[in-house]
Amino acid sequence: MLRRIGSTGRWGWGAALAAAGLLAACGGGGGDPAAQGTLRMALTDAPSCYEHVYVTVEKVRVHRNADASGEGTVGWSEIVVSLAKRIDLLGLTNGILEELGSTQLPAGTYSQVRVVLAANTGSNPLANAVQPVGGALVPLKTPSAQQSGLKLQAHFTVEENQTTDLVADFDACKSVVTAGNSGGYLLKPVVSVSPRVATGIQGYVSTSLTLGSTTVTAQKDGTVLRSTVPDAGGKFILAFLPTGTYTVVITSEGRATNVVTGVPVGATAGQPVTTLASPGSPILPPASTMRTVSGSVLAGTAPLVDTTVVARQAVAGTTVEIASRQVDGELATYSLRLPEGAPLRAPYATGALTFTADAAAAGKYALEAQPVGRTPKQAAVDVTGADATANFTY
């Protein structure tokens, strides 16, 4: 029983949550085939390192089996967008959502989501496209996306007579990679799927920062769970975070890293939204020289193109992710910009935050190459006084 959606819209965090009035449940069994529930999907984006990234969504497909293949396999249900929706992912930060629609499903547990994109054609060559900073809009190659869809692993339950409300967080910066020296770009999607919950973190950074190159992330154990960029007034929103305790990391071009530990969210905080800093006393990381770490990831002499390289740093005993990128889609090369200056840490406080520099950590990073299907490898680098190189060979 599928319902075709005639129109979708864009919502801010508060408006979308008010309209939802419901949450997604995880776990559960196969369910009663006769019982029905509703699945609703929306799209949001982490910060993008491009001026624009456009994708044209035709439909969303879901399946109970995480290993089910694409076209031709039985058991798929679909949310069909009546008019293919061209979405600029750059506009979906700070809790802004693009509603994709909803459909009725048999109640039970589902383990796979696929987002199907329209094809770039002669009549519409830029249905999926990317505009590099300072460059022109060029087609974005989306291998297999038009046929079987972008495969997302997601475990959720549709309850009888209830709506399961999910958000697909599309990390455009990590998902769009260069294709060698061709000047082209490939889509290698990095997308997480999570419940649309009403809890999160908001705060303010100084508008004297280069806001377009400033990223704010919510992390646990050195892994980014949500990220965003501040708006023109310096406000940031890390939306849709489940109850728990997080580390917030602020990075910006030409600035040292600021880390706020022990930030409570939801029931842990006793309120839906936790606020860091205020408009009158925003977070302002000190200036720092930036250095570049670059290299390649190879299996012998063959490029391992399905690889992400992550740079982490230990700040006053807390390990945090500073930067990460997928390698070039043909050459398996990478380049990361990292601060040379000492990172600063502040424990969470309801008032002003007090940051203390960790001089021992200045310039020191642990890089990790994460090739698909292979064991990650680590390398220590020190960018004090100069750029650095870290090559990974399998």
Side-chain angles (χ1 to χ4, degrees):
M1 295 175 61
L2 302 180
R3 180 159 63 92
R4 183 179 293 271
I5 304 303
S7 63
T8 56
R10 182 166 293 186
W11 297 78
W13 184 21
L17 294 170
L22 33 89
L23 303 177
C26 296
D32 179 359
Q36 295 283 312
T38 300
L39 171 68
R40 187 170 76 158
M41 289 288 299
L43 187 67
T44 192
D45 181 32
S48 177
C49 41
Y50 301 96
E51 289 193 3
H52 297 281
V53 177
Y54 294 98
V55 294
T56 300
V57 180
E58 288 189 335
K59 56 187 173 182
V60 179
R61 313 177 76 216
V62 297
H63 203 285
R64 293 181 183 274
N65 187 350
D67 298 319
S69 58
E71 294 290 340
T73 304
V74 298
W76 288 99
S77 298
E78 297 180 347
I79 299 172
V80 179
V81 181
S82 58
L83 296 174
K85 180 178 271 303
R86 189 171 188 257
I87 301 166
D88 184 359
L89 296 174
L90 193 66
L92 302 182
T93 56
N94 270 326
I96 299 297
L97 297 176
E98 187 73 45
E99 299 290 348
L100 298 178
S102 61
T103 188
Q104 284 190 308
L105 298 173
T109 299
Y110 293 79
S111 297
Q112 188 183 156
V113 175
R114 289 184 184 243
V115 177
V116 180
L117 304 182
N120 287 355
T121 63
S123 60
N124 190 11
L126 298 175
N128 307 294
V130 57
Q131 183 175 355
V133 176
L137 196 63
V138 297
L140 178 59
K141 296 180 181 179
T142 56
S144 80
Q146 295 82 17
Q147 290 75 38
S148 60
L150 307 175
K151 184 178 179 181
L152 318 179
Q153 296 298 335
H155 188 73
F156 61 93
T157 296
V158 175
E159 303 285 358
E160 182 178 0
N161 298 324
Q162 296 185 27
T163 297
T164 297
D165 217 356
L166 300 180
V167 174
D169 190 350
F170 202 123
D171 194 326
C173 188
K174 295 180 181 179
S175 298
V176 178
V177 300
T178 54
N181 298 316
S182 66
Y185 292 83
L186 304 173
L187 181 64
K188 294 190 172 184
V190 177
V191 187
S192 62
V193 179
S194 60
R196 190 188 313 202
V197 294
T199 46
I201 300 168
Q202 67 179 14
Y204 296 85
V205 298
S206 172
T207 55
S208 63
L209 299 177
T210 305
L211 296 177
S213 67
T214 300
T215 301
V216 185
T217 60
Q219 305 187 18
K220 280 194 174 186
D221 301 321
T223 299
V224 173
L225 301 180
R226 192 76 72 232
S227 58
T228 193
V229 292
D231 64 18
K235 184 177 182 179
F236 63 85
I237 298 174
L238 296 161
F240 317 116
L241 285 171
T243 289
T245 302
Y246 297 85
T247 298
V248 173
V249 179
I250 299 100
T251 60
S252 186
E253 178 67 22
R255 299 284 176 169
T257 300
N258 273 19
V259 177
V260 184
T261 55
V263 182
V265 169
T268 304
Q271 56 188 353
V273 181
T274 301
T275 298
L276 293 180
S278 65
S281 184
I283 297 169
L284 176 59
S288 170
T289 299
M290 302 297 290
R291 300 294 183 185
T292 299
V293 178
S294 57
S296 60
V297 186
L298 306 175
T301 59
L304 284 176
V305 295
D306 291 324
T307 301
T308 300
V309 178
V310 180
R312 296 188 176 94
Q313 190 172 37
V315 182
T318 300
T319 297
V320 295
E321 178 180 312
I322 305 301
S324 68
R325 289 296 299 270
Q326 290 200 67
V327 299
D328 182 274
E330 293 182 359
L331 305 176
T333 54
Y334 74 91
S335 178
L336 298 172
R337 296 271 291 170
L338 302 172
E340 179 182 346
L344 296 90
R345 172 191 171 274
Y348 169 74
T350 56
L353 299 171
T354 302
F355 287 93
T356 302
D358 183 357
K364 298 179 176 63
Y365 296 90
L367 266 63
E368 183 173 86
Q370 302 171 343
V372 174
R374 295 176 182 261
T375 302
K377 283 192 173 184
Q378 292 78 32
V381 297
D382 190 335
V383 298
T384 303
D387 296 339
T389 301
N391 294 315
F392 298 87
T393 304
Y394 284 79

